[in-house]
Amino acid sequence: MLNDSIDLNQVRRVLVIKLRHHGDVLLTSPVFSVLKQQAPQLEIDALVYRDTQEMLSLHPAISQLHTIDRNWKKLGLIGQCKAELGLISRLRQRQYDLVITLTEHKRGAWLVRLLSPRWSVGPDGPYGKLFRKSFTHRYLQVPGNRRHTIEIHLDALRRIGVYPAEQQRQLTLVAGHNAEATLAAKLEQQGLQAGQYILVHPTSRWLFKSWTVENMAALINTLQQRGQRVLLTAAPSPDEMAMLADIQSRLTQPVASLAGQLTLKELAAAIDNARLYIGVDSVPMHIASAMKTPCVALFGPSGDIEWGPWQVPHRVVAARVPCRPCGNAGCGGGWNSECLKLISLQQVLDAVDAVLGETA
């Protein structure tokens, strides 16, 4: 293949596009860090959905953070068109030399055509002729080749001749002084001190990724019997709060809880201050990696190779069954994952002991 690397010295502004969920967006953070370290003169912008922006806000390598509001569709045709045209106008004013899109979303292809950068990078795959012909560079994706999502994101940089060192691939999430201060006050109200509690986040927005309430309650009971302080967290969605209430009803003694009470930045601060994070495959698990908090992660249908903890002391607990990871929303799509039910309490306790032993 012809060597068509890009000389970053000829690049002034870069736009990186990631239109997915919170965890996916956080896992792009090394791309910004690597680009900035390789070429400090760069102004690097990001484009994400508005509800995911806290995953990248305050990132030291990002100059401007642009957002798309999923609720623009509710504005009616004229209102949505005005919002879209306003975004395109703001992006065009930045005069990007390089645009990188890290998803197969067709919006990335259209934006490349509208913004007319000198260079553009997108994933290679069966996404249609328009998508394929929109980019000057396409990074390869090998079907069945299991690698961490972070490495796949970084392939977009490798494709243009930027090869990150191991220490450059760290996740970055900045909680910020305001979140740290408000979290400290909330911890004080719960009688907790930084570095002296285990944070347990039992839920995921996709409940088929969650362990059973019986086992999670038994785990918390055992941790408390051992003298560990536990802090419970969860998103404020009705499904997750209902699951938390079910777990709490099974506890032998009350446990500190900030479930439904934290912003994403406050959650990052809470995880940063924890001795250990215990949870399932969800955004908080990725936040634990970004905050360098030791982690025990329970995996069911999703792949731990692709989505597991990153560059942090950890243990992944998963059942050894031939059908996982299937990527399905529970067995047969029924939102109930038998592979998670097969994980025993003792397996998780052994993982907790191993990580605490390594990080004591």
Side-chain angles (χ1 to χ4, degrees):
M1 181 181 289
L2 179 68
N3 183 357
D4 52 358
S5 299
I6 295 173
D7 181 1
L8 292 183
N9 291 318
Q10 299 182 43
V11 179
R12 182 181 56 161
R13 290 199 184 103
V14 183
L15 176 66
V16 179
I17 304 170
K18 185 67 176 185
L19 300 174
R20 280 287 179 86
H21 300 298
H22 293 80
D24 306 86
V25 170
L26 177 55
L27 295 185
T28 68
S29 63
V31 171
F32 301 92
S33 303
V34 170
L35 280 170
K36 193 66 174 178
Q37 291 177 55
Q38 294 273 349
Q41 86 284 355
L42 290 179
E43 292 182 30
I44 310 167
D45 293 359
L47 174 63
V48 299
Y49 286 126
R50 183 164 296 171
D51 58 298
T52 69
Q53 65 182 326
E54 297 296 7
M55 296 291 95
L56 293 179
S57 63
L58 304 179
H59 191 303
I62 294 178
S63 296
Q64 292 188 18
L65 183 56
H66 304 277
T67 63
I68 295 170
D69 194 335
R70 301 178 202 256
N71 291 322
W72 284 349
K73 295 178 181 179
K74 299 178 181 179
L75 299 176
L77 181 59
I78 294 176
Q80 183 178 1
C81 286
K82 285 183 178 180
E84 296 278 4
L85 290 172
L87 170 68
I88 292 169
S89 175
R90 292 189 294 275
L91 294 176
R92 287 179 67 88
Q93 289 174 14
R94 295 290 284 162
Q95 299 182 331
Y96 296 110
D97 304 295
L98 170 63
V99 173
I100 300 170
T101 182
L102 298 174
T103 50
E104 66 279 7
H105 200 299
K106 285 185 171 55
R107 188 190 286 264
W110 280 112
L111 282 172
V112 164
R113 291 172 177 265
L114 290 168
L115 299 177
S116 302
R118 181 176 177 183
W119 299 285
S120 53
V121 184
D124 193 30
Y127 310 130
K129 186 176 180 181
L130 180 143
F131 191 92
R132 185 173 66 253
K133 291 186 172 295
S134 296
F135 302 96
T136 62
H137 297 69
R138 297 188 304 277
Y139 60 95
L140 299 178
Q141 300 185 91
V142 183
N145 183 9
R146 298 188 64 194
R147 299 166 66 221
H148 202 283
T149 303
I150 290 172
E151 295 289 8
I152 296 173
H153 289 156
L154 292 172
D155 279 348
L157 301 186
R158 296 184 180 104
R159 177 63 183 85
I160 59 175
V162 178
Y163 293 90
E166 187 72 25
Q167 65 273 16
Q168 292 179 315
R169 304 177 201 180
Q170 297 181 5
L171 287 169
T172 298
L173 175 59
V174 180
H177 297 307
N178 289 341
E180 290 167 354
T182 55
L183 185 276
K186 291 178 180 180
L187 288 181
E188 185 176 0
Q189 290 173 358
Q190 296 289 331
L192 296 175
Q193 294 183 353
Q196 308 215 342
Y197 60 87
I198 293 174
L199 191 145
V200 180
H201 193 102
T203 61
S204 164
R205 66 178 295 182
W206 312 113
L207 290 184
F208 60 84
K209 293 183 177 182
S210 299
W211 203 25
T212 66
V213 293
E214 296 87 356
N215 277 333
M216 190 59 76
L219 172 65
I220 296 167
N221 281 333
T222 303
L223 291 174
Q224 292 199 106
Q225 289 164 11
R226 293 179 171 187
Q228 300 283 1
R229 299 297 306 277
V230 174
L231 173 64
L232 277 176
T233 58
S237 71
D239 286 346
E240 293 191 46
M241 293 303 292
M243 182 177 175
L244 253 291
D246 196 356
I247 291 170
Q248 288 173 305
S249 71
R250 300 166 188 264
L251 299 180
T252 54
Q253 62 185 57
V255 65
S257 175
L258 291 174
Q261 302 176 45
L262 301 177
T263 66
L264 281 169
K265 292 293 194 183
E266 288 174 330
L267 177 60
I271 293 172
D272 188 30
N273 282 297
R275 287 185 63 202
L276 176 70
Y277 171 85
I278 303 174
V280 296
D281 175 24
S282 61
V283 177
M285 183 204 69
H286 299 307
I287 292 176
S289 293
M291 309 314 286
K292 300 302 178 190
T293 298
C295 175
V296 171
L298 284 67
F299 271 78
S302 52
D304 48 285
I305 292 175
E306 297 84 353
W307 302 101
W310 181 256
Q311 293 188 349
V312 67
H314 72 274
R315 290 292 187 279
V316 167
V317 187
R320 294 184 179 181
V321 291
C323 54
R324 74 158 303 274
C326 65
N328 293 328
C331 298
W335 281 69
N336 194 318
S337 302
E338 292 183 13
C339 54
L340 279 162
K341 290 184 177 180
L342 292 173
I343 296 174
S344 70
L345 173 61
Q346 193 58 52
Q347 283 178 282
V348 179
L349 288 171
D350 289 345
V352 169
D353 291 340
V355 177
L356 288 178
E358 288 178 6
T359 57

